């Protein structure tokens, strides 16, 4: 399967928001010294080009030709749709558009950065990429990127998902990856958690620690992260750059909405529009939606914290619930994370992005209405964005206001039917802890 030449509508450059942020980012700290980390140390963990991009002050970075070709192959540009049947069902004067990342071959936006990361690793002569996956979308994307570019891929998958989502595992195996349930007995950190609980369900934070420990043992391996970091968010800006081009044929959006785990799909759609707002060329409202079970934006503290549970990653200044927080097992596995992208944290602090949080039952209800009206079964993660959109469209109706909403439908939910089944049977729990480790000295 080969797309005919890179589609001319695929962007040629990614947008890097770093030089345009309202304040400079606080530097990541070395977990051993608590001093700003040396790039040399980061290069042992990540491919060199990614470390460069992570700290780059260049506003645009060229997308390598090979990556653009692969973008065409996996289904870019992704379609832009208007949700007319949803509008009608809501009786709203708002017009609702969405970018559909579920249309890529792996079914979510994660492939946009997976291809870029695998490309740079391959160029550098790296042989293996190691990563974690929570719900499985990131592991799936990196496995395919490895298959396309000729790299071995090893994935640590949170044990609960490993057991509950066997089909994700099948897809990764078909793409040729090695998969281990996490915590595993392959790493010190994994064994530590297994000693605490032999049936430990795992989580993103633990799986990240295991993947990093694995990489540090193999000179020819590097780690790949699916969200949070600057370079990951930058690779995702193909979504927003395409959307600006596609919306030209229709109208300017007033409101931009996305769901947030680490922040990458939200930033991918929003940051190219944010650039215009930061320049004073346009005014948009940005709404970021998270689960109440993992409310880093609405209830987290802004502080330095680790990106993983084991304390191996550099410390980043971000909105966090505390790296020791065990996120309850909501079905939106991709949103079960304690932290948040540092750039998005800054934008929230400056009031540029408004965060909201919802419970999973109301989110699945929104997804059900969307499925009935538009036909697409959204990923439970993306359904958070849909809930945000519906609330906003109903408010427009109440106030008799016409407005244009654009949101990111980050992935399809065809491998999340277990969660939908539980919802239909009335068996979903809504979780919201009273206190989080970050507020109780757990940083
Ligand atoms: C991973 C994932 C998310 C959450 O991660 P972000 O980095 O916040 O985008 C959201 N939607 C889908 C479909 C995902 O796979």
């Amino acid at each position: 399967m080969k797309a005919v030449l890179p589609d001319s509508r695929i962007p040629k450059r990614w947008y890097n928001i770093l030089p345009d942020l309202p304040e400079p980012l606080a530097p990541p700290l070395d977990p051993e010294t608590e001093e700003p980390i040396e790039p040399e140390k980061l290069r042992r963990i990540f491919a060199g080009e990614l470390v460069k991009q992570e700290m780059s002050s260049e506003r645009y970075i060229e997308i390598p030709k090979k990556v653009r070709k692969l973008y065409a192959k996996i289904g870019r540009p992704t379609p832009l749709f208007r949700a007319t049947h949803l509008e009608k069902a809501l009786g709203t004067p708002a017009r609702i558009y969405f970018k559909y990342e579920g249309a890529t071959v792996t079914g979510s936006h994660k492939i946009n950065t997976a291809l870029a990361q695998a490309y740079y690793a391959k160029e550098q002569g790296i042989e293996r990429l190691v990563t974690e996956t929570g719900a499985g979308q990131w592991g799936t994307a990196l496995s395919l990127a490895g298959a396309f570019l000729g790299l071995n891929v090893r994935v640590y998958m949170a044990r609960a998902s490993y057991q509950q989502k066997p089909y994700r595992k099948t897809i990764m195996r078909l793409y040729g990856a090695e998969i281990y349930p996490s915590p595993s007995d392959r790493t010190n950190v994994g064994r530590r958690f297994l000693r605490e609980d032999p049936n430990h369900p795992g989580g993103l934070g633990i799986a990240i620690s295991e993947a990093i420990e694995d990489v540090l043992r193999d000179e020819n391996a590097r780690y790949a992260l699916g969200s949070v970091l600057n370079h990951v968010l930058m690779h995702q800006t193909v979504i927003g750059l395409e959307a600006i081009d596609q919306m030209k044929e229709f109208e300017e959006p007033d409101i931009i909405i996305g769901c947030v785990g680490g922040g990458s799909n939200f930033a991918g759609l929003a940051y190219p529009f944010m650039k215009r707002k930061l320049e004073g060329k346009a005014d948009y409202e940005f709404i970021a939606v998270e689960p109440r079970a993992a409310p880093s934006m609405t209830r987290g503290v802004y502080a330095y914290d680790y990106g993983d549970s084991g304390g191996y990653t550099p410390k980043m200044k971000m909105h966090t619930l505390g790296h020791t927080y065990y996120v309850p097992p909501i079905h939106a596995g991709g949103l079960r994370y304690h932290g948040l992208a540092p750039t998005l944290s800054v934008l929230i602090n400056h009031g540029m992005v408004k965060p909201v949080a919802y419970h999973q039952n109301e989110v699945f209800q929104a997804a059900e209405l969307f499925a009935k009206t538009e036909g697409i079964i959204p990923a439970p993660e993306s359904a958070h964005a849909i809930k945000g959109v519906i609330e906003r469209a109903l408010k427009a109706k109440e106030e008799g206001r016409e407005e244009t909403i654009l949101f990111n439908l980050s992935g399809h939910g065809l491998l999340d039917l277990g969660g939908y089944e539980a919802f239909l049977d009335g068996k979903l729990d809504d979780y919201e802890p009273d206190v989080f480790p970050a507020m109780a000295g757990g940083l």
Side-chain angles (χ1 to χ4, degrees), residues 16-332:
N16 173 24
I17 202 167
L18 286 185
D20 294 328
L21 281 181
E23 68 176 80
L25 271 195
L29 302 183
D30 190 320
E32 282 161 24
T33 62
E34 303 266 321
E35 294 291 322
I37 193 161
E38 296 293 332
E40 196 50 49
K41 265 198 159 171
L42 289 175
R43 280 194 284 273
R44 181 59 191 85
I45 302 176
F46 298 99
E49 183 61 27
L50 300 174
V51 175
K52 211 166 117 194
Q53 292 180 359
E54 187 65 16
M55 304 180 166
S56 172
S57 54
E58 277 181 56
R59 188 163 284 119
Y60 289 101
I61 290 178
E62 193 183 315
I63 305 176
K65 203 165 156 210
K66 185 158 186 179
V67 174
R68 287 186 76 230
K69 280 194 177 174
L70 291 171
Y71 278 171
K73 186 178 169 104
I74 56 94
R76 303 218 74 81
T78 53
L80 175 86
F81 291 115
R82 182 170 164 193
T84 47
H85 286 76
L86 176 65
E87 290 169 16
K88 214 167 173 185
L90 297 171
T92 177
R95 290 177 296 278
I96 302 172
Y97 295 84
F98 64 94
K99 190 75 171 141
Y100 185 40
E101 291 298 300
T104 66
V105 294
T106 53
S108 86
H109 67 289
K110 299 258 177 24
I111 191 74
N112 301 328
T113 184
L115 290 171
Q117 294 191 42
Y119 170 81
Y120 291 119
K122 184 72 185 178
E123 287 289 287
Q124 190 183 325
I126 299 302
E127 290 167 10
R128 180 193 309 285
L129 287 176
V130 185
T131 197
E132 76 294 330
T133 198
Q137 287 105 323
W138 168 240
T140 301
L142 197 70
S143 300
L144 181 61
F148 280 166
L149 286 147
L151 287 160
N152 297 318
V153 174
R154 182 175 288 167
V155 182
Y156 289 89
M157 184 171 189
R159 185 179 303 273
S161 302
Y162 185 90
Q163 285 160 351
Q164 284 162 10
K165 301 194 175 186
Y167 293 139
R168 281 274 173 213
K169 200 168 61 191
T170 310
I171 296 173
M172 289 186 266
R173 287 176 61 200
L174 275 174
Y175 288 157
E178 275 172 79
I179 306 141
Y180 300 102
S182 167
S184 76
D185 60 6
R186 299 172 49 84
T187 64
N188 291 329
V189 65
R191 286 188 290 270
R192 198 175 87 209
F193 283 103
L194 281 181
R195 266 199 303 277
E196 276 171 27
D197 176 2
N199 294 312
H200 201 296
L204 264 188
I206 297 173
I208 295 174
S209 301
E210 289 211 274
I212 292 180
E213 192 182 320
D214 186 316
V215 162
L216 292 175
R217 279 201 300 249
D218 178 358
E219 193 53 52
N220 294 316
R222 289 294 181 279
Y223 171 64
L225 187 63
S227 186
V228 180
L229 298 178
N230 304 335
H231 67 267
V232 179
L233 272 56
M234 182 188 76
H235 298 151
Q236 294 296 352
T237 59
V238 285
I239 303 170
L241 293 163
E242 284 176 10
I244 287 177
D245 181 42
Q246 291 166 318
M247 285 299 282
K248 268 189 204 138
E249 288 168 32
F250 304 98
E251 53 191 320
E252 269 279 292
D254 300 303
I255 302 154
I256 291 156
I257 300 180
C259 69
V260 171
S264 74
N265 87 87
F266 174 83
L269 177 67
Y271 283 7
F273 289 94
M274 184 66 77
K275 174 174 185 289
R276 296 172 158 191
K277 181 166 170 139
L278 291 165
E279 287 169 339
K281 286 191 183 151
D283 196 17
Y284 309 104
E285 215 182 300
F286 296 92
I287 300 175
V289 188
E290 67 184 1
R292 290 179 83 141
S296 57
M297 297 187 293
T298 52
R299 294 190 57 200
V301 299
Y302 183 57
Y304 270 108
D305 195 9
Y306 299 105
D308 64 330
S309 306
Y312 284 92
T313 68
K315 283 183 153 181
M316 290 174 292
K317 198 154 188 199
M318 60 183 176
H319 285 254
T320 179
L321 300 163
H323 67 280
T324 57
Y325 177 50
Y326 173 73
V327 185
I330 52 169
H331 283 277

